[in-house]
Amino acid sequence: MKISSPSAGLVVAVIGSLSFGTSGAFIKPLLEAGWSPSAAVTARVLVGGLVLLPLALVSLRGSWPALWRARWRVLAMALAGVSATQFFYFAAIQTIPVATAALIELLAPLLLVGVVWVMTRRIPHALVLVGSLFAVGGLVLVVGPGAIRAVDPLGLAFAACAMVGCAIYFVIAARPSDGLPPVGFAAAGLVLGGLVLGGLGVTGVLPLSATFGPVPLAGTALPWWVPLVIVAVVSTALAYVAGITSAAVLGSRLASFVSLLEVVFAALFAWLLLGEQLTPLQLLGGALILGGIAAVRAAGSENAVPATLEPLIPARVMADAGVVEPATALDR
């Protein structure tokens, strides 16, 4: 899948968010049946990578040098974008509510904007700031205002690490492919990341437990492997390929903001498949997230980069952060 149009990239990004958003509705029955969260995620990542492997091998014919050139990018994706993000998230939910951990992790787009703001000392475009406020407000409403509460400091630190891993994922995904197909990149990152998570489980760092009886889903009992395969194929394999493909076109900033739609789709699928309540506040939150995405997209990405920082900060990351000269920002 190779696209170049920003509009097509936006469509693919939404498909990726929708795919990621299905994971909760299909993993929850496994968790209720006795699977540990880390076991479910490890299985999902490994199976998702294996599903992509045949497609990756076909796409890499004649392009094996590209995989070697991207070896450090693939390793960074596996360790930071997949393994570390999942590890720290599950470490966080051992001591803080799931909603709180999810809210902090999904603040990754703001981290991308803030890091470049601090490093360049340039004010982000006004529309980026407005979009950020809308997105945070929407996240709080969709995840639930109860996510904001006094909780364990160590759990917060773990959730913050998950947020950093999520931000790194978008930065890595947005880097030029140098001939490496998205499906090959996603497969390599998932297989390596799954092996790392599996190693952490085997050594006892992550608790791995699973059951293999029928699980309830959409009002019927299904074999345990049905939701697992759906999560692996749709919520992992398709989702990561779509996310990497769209980030390469949209850049890390806009792609990360579009990814916030994941929580909206997650709430919709939980309503459709699990019978969970969908409140007016969550719908309002979804509208705010859409408004934030629209504002960030309207900000554009053509901004000056200080010559002294060009060797230190990738130009694409700078552009993605929506950074402009202070005077320009005030004029607008």
Side-chain angles (χ1 to χ4, degrees):
M1 185 184 347
K2 185 176 182 180
I3 57 175
S4 56
S5 164
S7 296
L10 193 58
V11 171
V12 174
V14 173
I15 292 173
S17 296
L18 187 152
S19 301
F20 275 120
T22 63
S23 61
F26 289 102
I27 280 187
K28 186 173 181 179
L30 293 175
L31 300 181
E32 292 177 343
W35 284 62
S36 65
S38 48
V41 170
T42 300
R44 140 190 198 179
V45 170
L46 270 176
V47 175
L50 293 176
V51 166
L52 288 177
L53 199 53
L55 298 175
L57 293 176
V58 172
S59 70
L60 285 169
R61 284 187 302 182
S63 302
W64 290 105
L67 181 60
W68 176 250
R69 290 193 301 270
R71 61 191 182 279
W72 299 116
R73 182 173 170 236
V74 170
L75 185 62
M77 173 64 77
L79 296 180
V82 177
S83 302
T85 303
Q86 298 293 340
F87 172 80
F88 284 118
Y89 172 78
F90 286 112
I93 64 175
Q94 301 302 311
T95 57
I96 66 176
V98 171
T100 304
L103 178 62
I104 294 173
E105 180 183 348
L106 290 172
L107 292 178
L110 276 69
L111 178 64
L112 291 174
V113 173
V115 166
V116 178
W117 186 354
V118 170
M119 292 184 68
T120 63
R121 298 180 183 177
R122 291 184 174 185
I123 303 172
H125 195 291
L127 284 174
V128 174
L129 296 178
V130 170
S132 299
L133 290 175
F134 275 32
V136 171
L139 273 177
V140 171
L141 292 180
V142 175
V143 174
I148 303 177
R149 64 181 75 175
V151 291
D152 178 63
L154 183 59
L156 290 177
F158 283 142
C161 290
M163 173 183 63
V164 173
C166 186
I168 292 174
Y169 159 78
F170 284 108
V171 173
I172 296 171
R175 291 183 63 82
S177 66
D178 195 19
L180 179 63
V183 66
F185 182 32
L190 288 172
V191 171
L192 286 177
L195 290 175
V196 171
L197 289 171
L200 292 174
V202 170
T203 56
V205 177
L206 288 177
L208 295 181
S209 61
T211 60
F212 304 102
V215 296
L217 182 64
T220 186
L222 296 173
W224 62 271
W225 53 266
V226 172
L228 179 60
V229 169
I230 293 174
V231 166
V233 174
V234 178
S235 312
T236 308
L238 174 60
Y240 271 92
V241 171
I244 291 169
T245 301
S246 61
V249 177
L250 301 177
S252 59
R253 185 198 70 196
L254 182 54
S256 65
F257 272 88
V258 176
S259 74
L260 298 180
L261 288 174
E262 176 188 339
V263 297
V264 180
F265 289 124
L268 288 173
F269 281 113
W271 173 59
L272 289 171
L273 298 175
L274 303 177
E276 294 187 2
Q277 186 178 10
L278 188 63
T279 67
L281 279 180
Q282 288 178 307
L283 296 176
L284 175 60
L288 286 175
I289 291 175
L290 285 174
I293 293 170
V296 170
R297 189 186 185 196
S301 60
E302 296 180 0
N303 303 293
V305 180
T308 55
L309 288 178
E310 283 180 350
L312 302 177
I313 304 174
R316 183 57 177 271
V317 176
M318 287 292 301
D320 292 341
V323 180
V324 296
E325 296 283 359
T328 306
L330 291 175
D331 290 341
R332 294 186 183 182

